[in-house]
């Protein structure tokens, strides 16, 4: 018998015989605490520093130094430095850094490494059955863990608080809970005196209000708590109020208090066995964009519904008035905010997105962003099995900034029949095609050019030893399956992860940062776009002129212009490059014949894309002896297309255009 679950939270504690990891899981039978005792934290050091390390750490207890069959990026052998005590880990790290000892992978949390090295990404299988637990919560200890694919059904609590305008008084707490079976429980905890009803529970003091919150959460037992700015406002306020009133917020599943801390300027909340996720951060992480992220604005745009209050722009004064004069109306307003947040999560499919992202990368559900950490989770265990460890944090070559995507100078004007050809996932396909990879570069720089694929900024990549191209191939196939199955959440999660790999390699927040890696992606993208433009324009023939009037990162805009006399003209004049839009003729009437037969345009777009793909395939085999994973697609046909000029100039704009798209 085994137990399958999904990791919600993790924690490291000091045990009597080593470190102890606590993993809270969501399972089909409810919450489960998985405890692993007698563990050691580990990071790596150069073997050449062994004598100095022994001297520097001789006064510490609970550590050991052991040779391992691993090398650093320069090929130097390394040792593993193990710790059975957290205090020794922290002191050793500080002492070694002070004396300039090179530390490798010393920033990885022990519990995260435990999951990472076992390739556990959310889903976890334990080799013991789910335990009987007549009282309290269920616990499994010392079971062996392995990865599995398991997506849970989570109970969710949407929470919102209302306070005085000065932010010193807590009026009420709205609670909207959605159980695993879909049933709903809702309540508003209100400070004041009154008779409880189906909606409001009155609490005489703020202390009683906080205690009622703890009791309600314990009874409903949510896996996930959501809200709008819920960490930086709601829980920051509740945590501060609890400290003032000496009333700990015991919101953890094991009865422990909620922890609130600012990590590098970013507030975080931790409660054993429960996740807290902010709706604003989650939308941004899922690449949704809004001019305003105010709840009223987002709810109106996504749901067509807003707050339950008449004067949203003066809601501070209105909330205070309702608290004094109409508690029922305030409770309805408070609860409506909770409902709106949940409906936004539902509408945008944020919860399935978060679950799929964790299943792909191992990032905890509440870890919004975290592209570098996701990269580590996927890359490091594979790097270790290849016999290497990662370099010191962000120690790669800098100095030369890697340019962004290539944006061509545009040809301003008003055009008929513009086709958009788009490279499918250009940066991931460049990584796969040209074998751009940290390990590949470690090895490739030590080999001759016959065994490598040249990159940019002096990079060379080994043809056999690499990790990232294979990872991307797996993700690519998974995304194609997700699209075929109409799994929007999984498809979105994979797309964001794949596209983040370039950003990670180009960021000094990543341990693999190196301009040779990022430059080998962006500069190759520049080359591919420019040479694709040249190829397309060279395909002009006696019937049609193909002119690329604009290009941006992974897209080319191709104007189809019939040769004089090849086909009837419509009378629409397209300006020469640099001509002012003032001189451009107005759009032709719809009764005029189009300049190109609409029935053949889609065929033309498809043929251009297929021809260009074939050309790249043949060229890369001839020049590099590598297969091409570049894939350009015919995306859009604009029957009318406007490329404006820059204000006060006759130069074409960039990233600003308008077009009438043909949809059938």
């Amino acid at each position: 018998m085994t137990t399958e679950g999904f990791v919600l939270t993790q924690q490291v504690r000091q045990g009597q015989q080593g470190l102890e990891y606590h993993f809270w899981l969501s399972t089909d039978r409810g919450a489960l605490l998985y405890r692993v005792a007698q563990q050691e934290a580990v990071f790596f050091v150069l073997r050449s520093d062994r004598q100095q390390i022994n001297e520097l750490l001789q006064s510490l207890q609970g550590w050991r130094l052991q040779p391992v069959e691993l090398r650093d990026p320069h090929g130097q052998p390394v040792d593993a430095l193990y710790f059975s005590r957290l205090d020794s880990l922290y002191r050793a790290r500080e002492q070694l850094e002070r004396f300039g000892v090179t530390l490798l992978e010393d920033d990885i949390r022990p519990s995260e490494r435990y999951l990472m090295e076992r390739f556990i990404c959310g889903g976890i299988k334990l080799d013991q059955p789910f335990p009987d637990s007549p009282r309290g919560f269920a616990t499994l200890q010392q079971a062996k863990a392995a990865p599995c694919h398991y997506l849970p059904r989570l109970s969710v609590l949407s929470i919102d608080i209302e306070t005085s305008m000065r932010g010193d008084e807590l009026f009420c707490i709205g609670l909207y809970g959605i159980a695993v079976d879909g049933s709903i429980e809702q309540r508003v905890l209100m400070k004041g005196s009154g008779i409880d009803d189906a909606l409001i529970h009155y609490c005489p003091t703020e202390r009683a209000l906080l205690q009622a919150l703890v009791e309600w959460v314990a009874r409903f037992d949510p896996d996930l708590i959501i809200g709008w700015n819920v960490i930086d406002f709601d829980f920051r306020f509740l945590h501060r109020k609890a400290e003032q009133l000496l009333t700990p917020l015991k919101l953890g599943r094991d009865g422990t208090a909620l922890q609130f801390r600012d990590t590098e300027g970013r507030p975080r909340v931790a409660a054993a066995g429960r996740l807290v996720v902010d709706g604003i951060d989650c939308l941004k992480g899922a690449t949704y964009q809004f001019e305003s992220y105010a709840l009223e604005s987002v709810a109106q745009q996504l749901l067509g519904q807003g707050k339950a209050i008449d004067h949203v722009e003066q809601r501070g004064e209105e909330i205070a008035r309702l608290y004094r004069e109409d508690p029922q109306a305030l409770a309805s307003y408070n609860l409506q905010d909770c409902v709106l947040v949940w409906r936004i999560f539902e509408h945008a499919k944020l919860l399935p997105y978060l679950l799929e992202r964790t299943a792909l990368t191992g990032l905890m559900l509440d870890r919004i962003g975290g592209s570098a950490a996701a990269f580590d989770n996927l890359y490091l265990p594979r790097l270790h099995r290849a016999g290497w460890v990662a370099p010191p944090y962000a120690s790669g070559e800098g100095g030369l900034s890697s340019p962004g995507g290539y944006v061509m100078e545009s040809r301003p004007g008003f055009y008929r029949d513009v086709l958009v050809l788009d490279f499918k996932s250009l940066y991931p396909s460049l990584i796969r095609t040209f074998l751009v990879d940290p390990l590949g570069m470690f090895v490739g720089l030590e080999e001759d050019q016959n065994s490598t694929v040249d990159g940019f900024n002096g990079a060379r990549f080994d043809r056999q030893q690499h990790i990232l191209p294979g990872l991307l191939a797996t993700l690519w196939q998974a995304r194609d399956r997700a699209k075929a199955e109409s799994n929007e959440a999984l498809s979105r999660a994979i797309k964001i992860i794949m596209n983040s790999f370039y950003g990670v390699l180009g960021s000094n927040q990543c341990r693999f940062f190196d301009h040779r890696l990022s430059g080998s992606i962006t500069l190759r993208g520049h080359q591919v776009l420019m040479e694709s433009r040249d190829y397309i324009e060279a395909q002009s023939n006696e019937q049609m002129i193909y002119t690329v009037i604009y290009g941006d990162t992974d897209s080319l805009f191709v104007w189809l212009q019939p040769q004089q006399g090849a086909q009837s003209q419509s009378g629409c004049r397209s300006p020469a490059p640099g001509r002012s839009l003032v001189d451009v003729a107005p759009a032709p009437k719809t009764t005029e014949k189009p300049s190109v037969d609409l029935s053949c345009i889609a065929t033309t777009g498809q043929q251009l894309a297929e021809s260009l793909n074939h050309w790249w395939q043949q060229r890369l085999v001839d020049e590099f002896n590598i297969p091409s994973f570049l894939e350009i697609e015919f995306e859009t046909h604009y029957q009318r297309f406007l490329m404006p000029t820059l204000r006060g100039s006759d130069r074409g704009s960039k990233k600003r255009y308008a077009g009438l798209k043909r949809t059938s």
Side-chain angles (χ1 to χ4, degrees):
M1 293 288 291
T2 60
T3 299
E4 291 188 353
F6 193 90
V7 180
L8 297 174
T9 66
Q10 55 181 292
Q11 186 179 18
V12 183
R13 293 184 177 180
Q14 184 61 58
Q16 292 184 346
Q17 296 180 311
L19 305 184
E20 189 171 293
Y21 304 151
H22 288 195
F23 300 103
W24 280 93
L25 315 180
S26 171
T27 77
D28 289 343
R29 295 185 58 183
L32 171 68
L33 174 59
Y34 168 47
R35 296 172 57 183
V36 188
Q38 300 180 18
Q39 296 298 302
E40 293 178 304
V42 63
F43 59 82
F44 304 99
V45 292
L46 299 179
R47 189 164 299 165
S48 58
D49 292 332
R50 170 179 282 267
Q51 181 176 347
Q52 185 183 12
I53 292 170
N54 281 317
E55 293 173 354
L56 290 172
L57 303 185
Q58 60 181 337
S59 63
L60 290 183
Q61 296 180 339
W63 65 276
R64 62 189 178 92
L65 192 59
Q66 180 173 315
V68 288
E69 295 298 321
L70 297 171
R71 294 171 289 168
D72 83 332
H74 300 290
Q76 302 176 88
V78 302
D79 289 345
L81 192 51
Y82 292 94
F83 298 89
S84 60
R85 297 179 57 87
L86 284 173
D87 56 352
S88 294
L89 167 65
Y90 301 144
R91 289 176 61 190
R93 201 160 53 189
E94 180 181 351
Q95 179 80 339
L96 296 175
E97 285 180 342
R98 183 185 303 131
F99 284 88
V101 176
T102 299
L103 308 183
L104 306 164
E105 302 184 17
D106 59 296
D107 59 312
I108 298 175
R109 294 178 59 194
S111 56
E112 290 178 350
R113 190 184 290 278
Y114 181 88
L115 298 177
M116 176 199 307
E117 296 294 357
R118 289 162 177 77
F119 297 97
I120 294 171
C121 293
I124 184 172
K125 179 187 289 187
L126 306 178
D127 68 347
Q128 295 181 20
F130 193 96
D132 293 328
S133 181
R135 292 183 300 174
F137 50 82
T139 303
L140 270 180
Q141 299 188 53
Q142 301 307 108
K144 291 183 179 180
C148 72
H149 183 72
Y150 177 89
L151 294 178
R153 295 174 297 168
L154 301 180
S155 55
V156 182
L157 170 62
S158 182
I159 186 171
D160 179 71
I161 69 171
E162 302 300 340
T163 70
S164 63
M165 289 185 63
R166 293 177 302 185
D168 59 350
E169 184 180 1
L170 179 61
F171 291 161
C172 55
I173 305 173
L175 303 166
Y176 186 78
I178 304 91
V180 169
D181 62 4
S183 61
I184 294 172
E185 293 189 40
Q186 56 189 30
R187 199 68 163 159
V188 176
L189 309 176
M190 181 84 66
K191 192 186 74 157
S193 59
I195 300 175
D196 288 0
D197 57 25
L199 178 60
I200 303 177
H201 170 66
Y202 287 97
C203 305
T205 64
E206 288 180 314
R207 178 178 283 107
L209 189 55
L210 295 180
Q211 291 172 342
L213 170 64
V214 169
E215 292 168 3
W216 199 95
V217 169
R219 184 188 58 77
F220 182 73
D221 197 24
D223 299 307
L224 176 65
I225 301 174
I226 62 174
W228 210 253
N229 200 20
V230 67
I231 297 174
D232 203 19
F233 176 72
D234 298 76
F235 276 111
R236 184 185 291 277
F237 182 96
L238 292 172
H239 178 72
R240 184 174 67 246
K241 182 63 68 173
E243 287 187 329
Q244 292 172 356
L245 299 175
L246 302 178
T247 304
L249 281 176
K250 296 182 178 180
L251 297 180
R253 268 192 157 122
D254 56 0
T256 55
L258 174 139
Q259 297 179 354
F260 185 97
R261 59 184 181 273
D262 283 301
T263 305
E264 298 178 353
R266 186 181 183 88
R268 297 196 66 184
V269 167
R274 306 194 202 283
L275 295 158
V276 180
V277 172
D278 178 63
I280 300 174
D281 289 341
C282 194
L283 280 174
K284 291 179 179 178
T287 68
Y288 284 88
Q289 294 182 345
F290 302 91
E291 288 187 11
S292 169
Y293 284 89
L295 179 58
E296 171 73 13
S297 177
V298 174
Q300 290 288 1
Q301 285 188 250
L302 291 183
L303 310 174
Q305 182 181 8
K307 289 172 171 284
I309 198 168
D310 293 332
H311 308 289
V312 175
E313 68 283 356
Q314 298 175 336
R315 62 181 179 273
E317 297 90 336
E318 184 68 2
I319 288 168
R321 185 190 69 78
L322 292 177
Y323 177 66
R324 294 190 306 269
E325 302 174 6
D326 194 348
Q328 285 287 340
L330 177 59
S332 296
Y333 168 78
N334 190 193
L335 190 63
Q336 174 70 355
D337 279 6
C338 300
V339 174
L340 288 177
V341 173
W342 168 245
R343 290 192 60 202
I344 288 170
F345 267 74
E346 273 196 308
H347 179 88
K349 297 180 173 61
L350 294 180
L351 188 51
Y353 160 74
L354 289 175
L355 289 170
E356 295 287 7
R357 187 195 65 150
T358 297
L360 288 166
T361 68
L363 283 181
M364 295 294 103
L365 283 178
D366 60 347
R367 186 79 177 270
I368 306 300
S371 297
F375 191 92
D376 283 348
N377 284 350
L378 294 171
Y379 199 89
L380 290 183
R382 292 168 172 83
L383 183 66
H384 298 156
R385 281 155 181 77
W388 302 75
V389 297
Y393 201 80
S395 61
E397 287 194 12
L400 295 175
S401 60
S402 299
Y406 180 60
V407 182
M408 292 181 184
E409 293 292 332
S410 66
R411 295 175 48 141
F414 183 82
Y415 299 90
R416 283 186 180 276
D417 301 320
V418 171
L419 306 183
V420 180
L421 303 181
D422 184 73
F423 278 97
K424 179 181 177 182
S425 300
L426 177 61
Y427 285 175
S429 67
L430 290 173
I431 292 172
R432 292 182 64 194
T433 299
F434 294 94
L435 307 179
V436 180
D437 179 68
L439 172 59
M441 190 174 73
F442 300 162
V443 178
L445 291 175
E446 303 300 322
E447 297 182 335
D448 59 54
Q449 288 186 310
N450 294 329
S451 304
T452 60
V453 175
D454 285 344
F456 285 78
N457 299 332
R460 292 201 306 273
F461 302 101
D462 187 81
R463 292 178 178 271
Q464 303 300 324
Q465 298 188 62
H466 44 73
I467 296 170
L468 194 51
L471 266 178
L472 282 169
T474 301
L475 290 171
W476 201 296
Q477 294 165 3
R479 189 174 184 223
D480 286 343
R481 289 195 299 270
K483 286 182 175 180
E485 297 167 1
S486 300
N487 189 337
E488 180 184 340
L490 178 57
S491 177
R492 176 186 290 267
I494 295 174
K495 179 180 179 180
I496 292 171
I497 291 163
M498 289 200 306
N499 288 335
S500 74
F501 285 165
Y502 155 69
V504 164
L505 295 176
S507 168
N508 59 11
Q509 299 300 308
C510 173
R511 71 183 74 249
F512 294 103
F513 164 71
D514 194 302
H515 79 274
R516 293 172 294 184
L517 291 168
S518 54
S520 293
I521 301 170
T522 55
L523 292 174
R524 186 70 73 184
H526 292 197
Q527 177 193 19
V528 166
L529 208 65
M530 289 187 291
E531 295 188 8
S532 295
R533 173 198 60 195
D534 296 343
Y535 174 82
I536 289 172
E537 293 187 341
Q539 304 314 299
S540 299
N541 52 53
E542 65 276 4
Q543 294 294 320
M544 190 75 66
I545 299 173
Y546 302 119
T547 305
V548 176
I549 61 172
Y550 181 57
D552 185 352
T553 307
D554 56 3
S555 299
L556 293 167
F557 293 69
V558 185
W559 173 33
L560 304 186
Q561 183 184 17
Q563 292 277 18
Q564 189 68 28
Q567 191 170 344
S568 62
Q569 300 297 301
S570 67
C572 173
R573 294 187 292 119
S574 296
R579 187 172 180 182
S580 170
L581 287 178
V582 175
D583 299 326
V584 179
K589 296 179 180 179
T590 55
T591 55
E592 295 182 83
K593 293 181 180 180
S595 58
V596 180
D597 184 0
L598 292 178
S599 64
C600 74
I601 288 182
T603 301
T604 299
Q606 295 287 355
Q607 289 175 343
L608 277 176
E610 291 173 5
S611 177
L612 183 58
N613 285 326
H614 178 75
W615 181 73
W616 275 113
Q617 290 166 5
Q618 190 61 50
R619 178 174 171 193
L620 293 179
V621 169
D622 293 343
E623 187 171 339
F624 293 94
N625 193 27
I626 54 176
S628 172
F629 295 101
L630 301 174
E631 183 179 351
I632 200 164
E633 302 173 310
F634 167 50
E635 183 186 73
T636 304
H637 168 211
Y638 288 110
Q639 291 180 270
R640 304 288 188 276
F641 186 81
L642 174 64
M643 178 61 71
T645 58
L646 295 171
R647 181 175 297 179
S649 169
D650 59 2
R651 294 178 56 202
S653 67
K654 295 183 178 181
K655 299 185 180 294
R656 292 174 59 247
Y657 51 84
L660 176 63
K661 186 182 296 186
R662 183 189 179 195
T663 57
S664 62

